[in-house]
Coordinates of all heavy atoms in Angstrom, one line a residue:
M1 N -13.5 2.8 68.7 CA -12.3 2.5 69.3 C -12.4 2.5 70.8 O -12.6 3.5 71.4 CB -11.3 3.6 68.9 CG -10.1 3.8 69.8 SD -8.9 4.9 69.1 CE -9.5 6.5 69.7
P2 N -12.5 1.3 71.4 CA -12.6 1.2 72.9 C -11.4 1.8 73.6 O -10.3 1.7 73.1 CB -12.7 -0.3 73.1 CG -12.8 -0.9 71.8 CD -12.4 0.0 70.8
Y3 N -11.7 2.5 74.7 CA -10.7 3.1 75.4 C -11.0 2.9 76.9 O -12.1 3.1 77.4 CB -10.6 4.6 75.1 CG -9.6 5.3 76.0 CD1 -8.2 5.3 75.6 CD2 -10.0 6.1 77.1 CE1 -7.3 5.9 76.4 CE2 -9.0 6.8 77.8 CZ -7.7 6.7 77.5 OH -6.7 7.3 78.2
Q4 N -10.0 2.6 77.7 CA -10.1 2.4 79.1 C -9.8 3.7 79.8 O -8.6 4.1 79.8 CB -9.2 1.2 79.6 CG -9.3 0.9 81.0 CD -10.6 0.3 81.4 OE1 -11.2 -0.5 80.6 NE2 -11.2 0.7 82.6
F5 N -10.8 4.4 80.3 CA -10.6 5.6 81.0 C -9.9 5.4 82.3 O -10.2 4.4 83.0 CB -11.9 6.3 81.2 CG -12.6 6.8 79.9 CD1 -13.8 6.2 79.6 CD2 -12.1 7.8 79.2 CE1 -14.4 6.6 78.4 CE2 -12.7 8.2 78.0 CZ -13.9 7.6 77.6
P6 N -9.1 6.3 82.8 CA -8.6 6.3 84.1 C -9.8 6.4 85.1 O -10.8 7.0 84.8 CB -7.7 7.6 84.2 CG -7.4 8.0 82.8 CD -8.5 7.5 82.0
P7 N -9.6 6.0 86.3 CA -10.8 5.9 87.2 C -11.4 7.3 87.5 O -12.7 7.3 87.5 CB -10.1 5.4 88.5 CG -8.9 4.7 88.2 CD -8.4 5.3 86.9
D8 N -10.7 8.4 87.6 CA -11.3 9.6 87.8 C -12.1 10.1 86.6 O -13.2 10.7 86.7 CB -10.3 10.7 88.2 CG -9.2 10.9 87.2 OD1 -8.8 9.9 86.5 OD2 -8.7 12.0 87.1
V9 N -11.6 9.8 85.4 CA -12.3 10.2 84.1 C -13.5 9.3 83.9 O -14.6 9.7 83.6 CB -11.4 10.1 82.9 CG1 -12.2 10.4 81.7 CG2 -10.3 11.1 83.1
A10 N -13.4 8.0 84.3 CA -14.5 7.0 84.2 C -15.7 7.5 85.1 O -16.9 7.4 84.7 CB -14.1 5.6 84.5
L11 N -15.4 8.0 86.3 CA -16.4 8.5 87.2 C -17.1 9.7 86.6 O -18.3 9.8 86.6 CB -15.8 8.9 88.5 CG -16.7 9.4 89.6 CD1 -17.8 8.3 89.9 CD2 -16.0 9.8 90.9
L12 N -16.3 10.6 86.0 CA -17.0 11.8 85.3 C -17.9 11.4 84.2 O -19.0 11.9 84.0 CB -15.9 12.8 84.8 CG -15.2 13.6 85.9 CD1 -14.0 14.3 85.3 CD2 -16.1 14.5 86.5
V13 N -17.4 10.4 83.4 CA -18.2 9.9 82.3 C -19.5 9.3 82.8 O -20.6 9.5 82.3 CB -17.4 8.9 81.4 CG1 -18.3 8.2 80.4 CG2 -16.2 9.6 80.7
Q14 N -19.4 8.5 83.9 CA -20.6 7.8 84.5 C -21.5 8.9 85.0 O -22.8 8.8 84.7 CB -20.2 6.9 85.6 CG -19.5 5.6 85.1 CD -19.0 4.8 86.4 OE1 -19.0 5.3 87.5 NE2 -18.7 3.6 86.1
Q15 N -21.0 9.9 85.6 CA -21.9 11.0 86.1 C -22.6 11.7 85.0 O -23.8 12.0 85.1 CB -21.1 12.0 87.0 CG -20.6 11.4 88.3 CD -19.7 12.4 89.0 OE1 -19.1 13.2 88.4 NE2 -19.5 12.1 90.3
C16 N -21.9 12.0 83.9 CA -22.5 12.7 82.8 C -23.5 11.8 82.1 O -24.6 12.3 81.7 CB -21.4 13.1 81.8 SG -20.4 14.4 82.3
M17 N -23.2 10.5 82.0 CA -24.2 9.6 81.3 C -25.4 9.4 82.2 O -26.5 9.2 81.6 CB -23.5 8.2 81.1 CG -22.3 8.2 80.1 SD -22.8 8.8 78.5 CE -23.9 7.5 78.0
S18 N -25.3 9.5 83.5 CA -26.4 9.3 84.4 C -27.5 10.4 84.2 O -28.6 10.3 84.6 CB -26.0 9.2 85.8 OG -25.5 10.4 86.3
T19 N -27.1 11.6 83.6 CA -28.0 12.7 83.5 C -29.0 12.4 82.4 O -30.1 13.0 82.3 CB -27.3 14.0 83.1 OG1 -26.7 13.9 81.8 CG2 -26.3 14.4 84.1
G20 N -28.7 11.5 81.5 CA -29.6 11.2 80.4 C -29.4 12.1 79.2 O -30.2 12.0 78.2
N21 N -28.4 13.0 79.3 CA -28.3 14.0 78.2 C -27.5 13.4 77.0 O -27.4 14.1 76.0 CB -27.5 15.2 78.7 CG -28.4 16.0 79.7 OD1 -29.6 16.1 79.6 ND2 -27.7 16.7 80.7
Y22 N -26.9 12.3 77.2 CA -26.1 11.7 76.1 C -26.5 10.3 75.9 O -26.6 9.5 76.8 CB -24.6 11.7 76.5 CG -24.1 13.1 76.9 CD1 -24.0 13.5 78.3 CD2 -23.7 14.0 76.0 CE1 -23.6 14.7 78.6 CE2 -23.3 15.3 76.4 CZ -23.2 15.6 77.7 OH -22.8 16.9 78.0
P23 N -26.8 9.9 74.7 CA -27.3 8.6 74.4 C -26.2 7.5 74.6 O -26.4 6.4 74.9 CB -27.8 8.6 72.9 CG -27.3 9.9 72.4 CD -26.9 10.8 73.5
N24 N -24.9 8.0 74.4 CA -23.8 7.0 74.5 C -22.5 7.8 74.7 O -22.5 9.0 74.6 CB -23.7 6.1 73.2 CG -23.6 7.0 72.0 OD1 -22.7 7.8 71.9 ND2 -24.4 6.7 71.0
E25 N -21.5 7.0 75.1 CA -20.2 7.7 75.5 C -19.6 8.4 74.3 O -18.9 9.4 74.4 CB -19.2 6.6 76.0 CG -19.6 6.2 77.4 CD -18.7 5.1 77.9 OE1 -17.7 4.7 77.3 OE2 -18.9 4.7 79.1
D26 N -19.8 7.9 73.0 CA -19.3 8.5 71.9 C -19.8 9.9 71.7 O -19.1 10.9 71.4 CB -19.6 7.7 70.6 CG -18.9 6.4 70.5 OD1 -17.8 6.3 71.2 OD2 -19.4 5.5 69.7
D27 N -21.1 10.1 71.9 CA -21.7 11.5 71.9 C -21.2 12.4 72.9 O -20.9 13.6 72.7 CB -23.2 11.4 71.9 CG -23.9 10.9 70.7 OD1 -23.1 10.8 69.6 OD2 -25.0 10.5 70.7
L28 N -21.0 11.8 74.1 CA -20.4 12.6 75.2 C -19.0 13.1 74.9 O -18.6 14.3 75.0 CB -20.3 11.8 76.5 CG -19.6 12.3 77.7 CD1 -20.2 13.7 78.2 CD2 -19.5 11.3 78.8
L29 N -18.2 12.2 74.3 CA -16.8 12.5 73.9 C -16.8 13.5 72.8 O -16.0 14.5 72.8 CB -16.1 11.2 73.5 CG -14.6 11.4 73.1 CD1 -13.8 12.0 74.3 CD2 -14.0 10.1 72.8
R30 N -17.7 13.4 71.8 CA -17.8 14.3 70.7 C -18.1 15.7 71.2 O -17.5 16.7 70.8 CB -18.9 13.9 69.7 CG -18.5 13.0 68.6 CD -19.6 12.8 67.6 NE -19.4 11.6 66.9 CZ -19.9 10.4 67.3 NH1 -20.7 10.4 68.3 NH2 -19.6 9.3 66.7
Q31 N -19.1 15.8 72.2 CA -19.4 17.2 72.7 C -18.3 17.7 73.5 O -18.0 18.9 73.4 CB -20.7 17.1 73.5 CG -21.1 18.5 73.9 CD -22.5 18.5 74.5 OE1 -23.2 17.5 74.5 NE2 -22.9 19.6 75.0
A32 N -17.6 16.9 74.3 CA -16.5 17.4 75.1 C -15.3 17.9 74.2 O -14.8 19.0 74.4 CB -15.9 16.2 76.0
L33 N -15.0 17.2 73.1 CA -14.0 17.6 72.2 C -14.4 18.8 71.5 O -13.5 19.7 71.2 CB -13.6 16.4 71.3 CG -12.8 15.3 71.9 CD1 -12.7 14.1 70.9 CD2 -11.5 15.7 72.4
S34 N -15.6 18.9 71.1 CA -16.1 20.1 70.4 C -16.0 21.3 71.3 O -15.5 22.4 70.9 CB -17.6 19.9 70.0 OG -18.1 21.1 69.4
A35 N -16.4 21.2 72.6 CA -16.2 22.3 73.5 C -14.8 22.7 73.7 O -14.4 23.9 73.8 CB -16.8 21.9 74.9
W36 N -13.9 21.7 73.8 CA -12.4 21.9 73.9 C -11.9 22.7 72.7 O -11.2 23.6 72.8 CB -11.7 20.6 74.1 CG -10.2 20.8 74.1 CD1 -9.5 21.3 75.1 CD2 -9.3 20.6 73.1 NE1 -8.1 21.3 74.8 CE2 -8.0 20.9 73.5 CE3 -9.5 20.1 71.7 CZ2 -6.9 20.8 72.6 CZ3 -8.4 20.0 70.9 CH2 -7.1 20.3 71.4
E37 N -12.4 22.3 71.5 CA -11.9 22.9 70.3 C -12.4 24.4 70.2 O -11.6 25.3 69.9 CB -12.4 22.2 69.0 CG -12.0 22.8 67.7 CD -12.6 22.0 66.6 OE1 -13.7 21.5 66.6 OE2 -11.9 21.9 65.5
E38 N -13.6 24.6 70.6 CA -14.1 26.0 70.6 C -13.4 26.8 71.6 O -13.0 28.0 71.4 CB -15.6 26.0 71.0 CG -16.3 27.4 70.9 CD -17.7 27.3 71.2 OE1 -18.4 26.3 70.8 OE2 -18.3 28.3 71.7
F39 N -13.1 26.3 72.8 CA -12.3 27.0 73.8 C -10.9 27.3 73.3 O -10.4 28.4 73.5 CB -12.2 26.1 75.1 CG -11.3 26.7 76.1 CD1 -11.6 27.8 76.9 CD2 -10.0 26.2 76.2 CE1 -10.8 28.3 77.8 CE2 -9.1 26.8 77.2 CZ -9.5 27.8 77.9
S40 N -10.3 26.3 72.6 CA -8.9 26.5 72.1 C -8.9 27.6 71.0 O -8.0 28.5 71.0 CB -8.4 25.3 71.5 OG -8.2 24.3 72.5
L41 N -9.9 27.7 70.2 CA -10.0 28.8 69.2 C -10.3 30.1 69.8 O -9.6 31.1 69.4 CB -11.1 28.4 68.2 CG -10.9 27.3 67.3 CD1 -12.2 27.0 66.4 CD2 -9.7 27.5 66.3
C42 N -11.0 30.2 70.9 CA -11.3 31.4 71.6 C -10.0 31.9 72.3 O -9.7 33.1 72.3 CB -12.4 31.3 72.6 SG -14.0 31.1 71.9
T43 N -9.3 30.9 72.8 CA -8.1 31.3 73.5 C -7.1 31.9 72.5 O -6.4 32.9 72.8 CB -7.5 30.1 74.2 OG1 -8.4 29.6 75.1 CG2 -6.2 30.4 75.0
T44 N -7.0 31.2 71.3 CA -6.1 31.7 70.3 C -6.5 33.1 69.8 O -5.7 33.9 69.6 CB -6.0 30.7 69.1 OG1 -5.6 29.4 69.6 CG2 -5.1 31.1 68.0
Q45 N -7.8 33.2 69.6 CA -8.3 34.6 69.2 C -8.0 35.6 70.2 O -7.5 36.7 69.9 CB -9.8 34.5 68.9 CG -10.3 35.7 68.3 CD -11.8 35.6 68.0 OE1 -12.5 34.8 68.6 NE2 -12.3 36.3 67.1
S46 N -8.2 35.3 71.5 CA -7.9 36.2 72.5 C -6.5 36.6 72.5 O -6.1 37.8 72.7 CB -8.3 35.7 73.8 OG -8.1 36.6 74.9
T47 N -5.6 35.7 72.3 CA -4.2 35.9 72.3 C -3.8 36.9 71.2 O -3.0 37.8 71.3 CB -3.4 34.6 72.2 OG1 -3.7 33.8 73.3 CG2 -1.9 34.9 72.2
Q48 N -4.4 36.7 70.0 CA -4.2 37.6 68.9 C -4.7 39.0 69.2 O -4.0 40.0 68.9 CB -4.9 37.1 67.6 CG -4.7 38.0 66.4 CD -3.2 38.1 66.0 OE1 -2.5 37.1 65.9 NE2 -2.7 39.3 65.9
E49 N -5.9 39.1 69.9 CA -6.3 40.5 70.3 C -5.4 41.1 71.3 O -5.1 42.3 71.2 CB -7.8 40.3 70.9 CG -8.8 40.0 69.9 CD -10.1 39.6 70.5 OE1 -10.3 39.8 71.7 OE2 -11.1 39.3 69.8
D50 N -4.9 40.3 72.2 CA -3.9 40.8 73.1 C -2.6 41.3 72.4 O -2.1 42.4 72.8 CB -3.5 39.8 74.2 CG -4.7 39.4 75.1 OD1 -5.7 40.1 75.2 OD2 -4.5 38.3 75.7
E51 N -2.2 40.6 71.5 CA -1.0 41.0 70.7 C -1.2 42.3 70.0 O -0.4 43.2 69.9 CB -0.5 39.9 69.8 CG 0.1 38.7 70.5 CD 0.5 37.5 69.6 OE1 0.5 37.8 68.3 OE2 0.7 36.5 70.1
D52 N -2.4 42.4 69.4 CA -2.8 43.6 68.7 C -2.8 44.8 69.6 O -2.4 45.9 69.3 CB -4.2 43.5 67.9 CG -4.2 42.5 66.8 OD1 -3.0 42.1 66.4 OD2 -5.2 42.1 66.4
T53 N -3.4 44.6 70.8 CA -3.4 45.7 71.8 C -2.0 46.1 72.2 O -1.7 47.3 72.3 CB -4.2 45.3 73.0 OG1 -5.6 44.9 72.6 CG2 -4.3 46.3 74.1
I54 N -1.2 45.2 72.5 CA 0.2 45.4 72.9 C 1.0 46.2 71.7 O 1.7 47.2 72.0 CB 1.0 44.2 73.2 CG1 0.4 43.6 74.5 CG2 2.5 44.4 73.4 CD1 0.9 42.2 74.9
Q55 N 0.7 45.8 70.5 CA 1.3 46.5 69.3 C 0.8 47.9 69.3 O 1.6 48.9 69.1 CB 1.0 45.8 68.0 CG 1.6 46.5 66.8 CD 3.1 46.5 66.8 OE1 3.7 45.7 67.3 NE2 3.6 47.6 66.2
A56 N -0.5 48.2 69.5 CA -1.0 49.5 69.5 C -0.4 50.4 70.6 O -0.1 51.6 70.4 CB -2.6 49.5 69.6
I57 N -0.2 49.8 71.8 CA 0.4 50.5 72.9 C 1.9 50.9 72.5 O 2.3 52.1 72.7 CB 0.4 49.7 74.2 CG1 -1.0 49.5 74.6 CG2 1.3 50.3 75.2 CD1 -1.2 48.5 75.8
H58 N 2.6 50.0 71.9 CA 4.0 50.3 71.5 C 4.0 51.5 70.4 O 4.8 52.3 70.5 CB 4.7 49.1 70.9 CG 5.1 48.1 71.9 ND1 6.1 48.4 72.8 CD2 4.7 46.8 72.2 CE1 6.3 47.3 73.7 NE2 5.4 46.4 73.3
E59 N 3.0 51.4 69.5 CA 2.9 52.5 68.5 C 2.6 53.8 69.2 O 3.2 54.9 68.8 CB 1.9 52.1 67.5 CG 2.3 51.0 66.6 CD 1.2 50.5 65.6 OE1 0.1 51.2 65.6 OE2 1.4 49.5 65.0
G60 N 1.7 53.8 70.2 CA 1.4 55.0 70.9 C 2.6 55.6 71.6 O 2.8 56.8 71.7
I61 N 3.4 54.7 72.3 CA 4.6 55.2 73.0 C 5.6 55.7 72.0 O 6.2 56.8 72.2 CB 5.2 54.0 73.7 CG1 4.3 53.6 74.9 CG2 6.6 54.3 74.3 CD1 4.7 52.3 75.6
A62 N 5.7 55.1 70.8 CA 6.7 55.6 69.8 C 6.2 57.0 69.3 O 7.0 57.9 69.1 CB 6.8 54.7 68.6
D63 N 4.9 57.1 69.1 CA 4.4 58.5 68.7 C 4.6 59.5 69.8 O 5.1 60.6 69.5 CB 2.8 58.4 68.5 CG 2.5 57.7 67.2 OD1 3.4 57.6 66.3 OD2 1.3 57.3 67.1
M64 N 4.5 59.2 71.0 CA 4.8 60.1 72.2 C 6.3 60.5 72.2 O 6.6 61.7 72.3 CB 4.4 59.5 73.5 CG 3.2 60.0 74.1 SD 2.8 59.4 75.8 CE 4.2 58.5 76.3
E65 N 7.1 59.5 72.0 CA 8.6 59.7 72.0 C 9.0 60.6 70.8 O 9.9 61.4 71.0 CB 9.3 58.5 72.1 CG 9.2 57.7 73.4 CD 9.8 56.3 73.4 OE1 10.1 55.8 72.4 OE2 10.0 55.8 74.6
A66 N 8.3 60.5 69.7 CA 8.6 61.3 68.6 C 7.8 62.6 68.5 O 7.8 63.3 67.5 CB 8.3 60.5 67.3
S67 N 7.1 62.9 69.6 CA 6.4 64.2 69.7 C 5.2 64.2 68.7 O 4.8 65.3 68.3 CB 7.2 65.4 69.6 OG 8.2 65.5 70.7
R68 N 4.7 63.1 68.3 CA 3.5 63.0 67.5 C 2.3 62.8 68.4 O 1.7 61.7 68.5 CB 3.7 61.9 66.5 CG 4.7 62.1 65.4 CD 4.7 60.9 64.4 NE 4.8 59.6 65.0 CZ 6.0 58.9 65.0 NH1 7.1 59.4 64.4 NH2 6.1 57.7 65.5
M69 N 1.9 63.9 69.0 CA 0.8 63.8 69.9 C 0.0 65.2 70.0 O 0.6 66.2 69.6 CB 1.2 63.4 71.3 CG 2.2 64.3 71.9 SD 2.7 63.5 73.5 CE 4.1 64.6 73.8
R70 N -1.2 65.1 70.5 CA -2.0 66.4 70.7 C -2.5 66.4 72.1 O -2.8 65.3 72.6 CB -3.1 66.4 69.7 CG -2.6 66.5 68.2 CD -3.7 66.4 67.2 NE -4.9 67.3 67.4 CZ -6.1 67.0 66.8 NH1 -6.2 66.0 66.1 NH2 -7.0 67.9 67.1
P71 N -2.7 67.6 72.7 CA -3.2 67.6 74.0 C -4.7 67.0 74.0 O -5.5 67.2 73.1 CB -3.3 69.1 74.3 CG -2.3 69.7 73.4 CD -2.3 68.9 72.2
L72 N -5.0 66.4 75.1 CA -6.3 65.7 75.2 C -7.4 66.7 75.1 O -8.5 66.5 74.5 CB -6.4 65.0 76.6 CG -7.7 64.3 76.9 CD1 -8.0 63.2 75.8 CD2 -7.7 63.6 78.2
D73 N -7.2 67.9 75.7 CA -8.3 68.9 75.7 C -8.7 69.3 74.2 O -9.8 69.5 73.9 CB -7.9 70.2 76.4 CG -7.9 70.0 77.9 OD1 -8.6 69.0 78.4 OD2 -7.2 70.7 78.6
D74 N -7.6 69.4 73.3 CA -7.9 69.6 71.9 C -8.7 68.6 71.3 O -9.6 68.8 70.5 CB -6.5 69.8 71.2 CG -5.8 71.1 71.6 OD1 -6.3 71.9 72.4 OD2 -4.6 71.2 71.1
L75 N -8.4 67.3 71.5 CA -9.1 66.2 71.0 C -10.5 66.1 71.5 O -11.5 65.9 70.7 CB -8.4 64.9 71.3 CG -7.0 64.7 70.7 CD1 -6.3 63.4 71.3 CD2 -7.1 64.6 69.2
L76 N -10.7 66.4 72.8 CA -12.1 66.4 73.3 C -12.9 67.6 72.7 O -14.1 67.4 72.3 CB -12.1 66.5 74.8 CG -11.5 65.3 75.6 CD1 -11.4 65.6 77.1 CD2 -12.4 64.1 75.3
A77 N -12.3 68.7 72.5 CA -13.0 69.9 71.9 C -13.4 69.5 70.5 O -14.6 69.8 70.0 CB -12.2 71.1 72.0
E78 N -12.5 68.9 69.8 CA -12.8 68.5 68.4 C -13.9 67.5 68.4 O -14.8 67.6 67.5 CB -11.5 67.9 67.8 CG -11.7 67.6 66.3 CD -10.3 67.1 65.7 OE1 -9.3 67.8 66.0 OE2 -10.4 66.0 65.1
A79 N -13.9 66.5 69.3 CA -15.0 65.5 69.3 C -16.3 66.1 69.7 O -17.3 65.7 69.1 CB -14.6 64.4 70.4
R80 N -16.3 67.1 70.6 CA -17.6 67.8 70.9 C -18.2 68.5 69.7 O -19.4 68.5 69.5 CB -17.4 68.7 72.1 CG -17.2 68.0 73.4 CD -17.1 69.0 74.5 NE -16.7 68.3 75.8 CZ -15.5 68.4 76.3 NH1 -14.6 69.3 75.8 NH2 -15.2 67.7 77.4
K81 N -17.3 69.1 68.9 CA -17.8 69.8 67.7 C -18.4 68.9 66.7 O -19.4 69.2 66.0 CB -16.7 70.6 67.0 CG -16.2 71.8 67.7 CD -15.0 72.4 67.0 CE -14.4 73.6 67.8 NZ -13.2 74.2 67.2
S82 N -17.9 67.6 66.6 CA -18.3 66.7 65.6 C -19.7 66.0 66.1 O -20.4 65.5 65.3 CB -17.3 65.5 65.5 OG -16.1 66.1 65.0
A83 N -19.9 66.1 67.4 CA -21.1 65.4 67.9 C -22.4 66.1 67.7 O -22.7 67.1 67.3 CB -20.9 65.1 69.4

């Protein structure tokens, strides 16, 4: 499928092609789209991790407000005994 790139994109394509790393524009486009897809998946995954962290913080706040907590010194002492 032939495509007329805008001038700035055409210049980038020419620069990439001049390196000799791509046998043709199709391969360049495939690799660019693959990198974009991988970036998009990483961004989505990171967002899920962020949401999980925020949820855990909310749960911790709810535990504090409901007095479901222990002093840090007690937790550290318990951890030292286990080590």
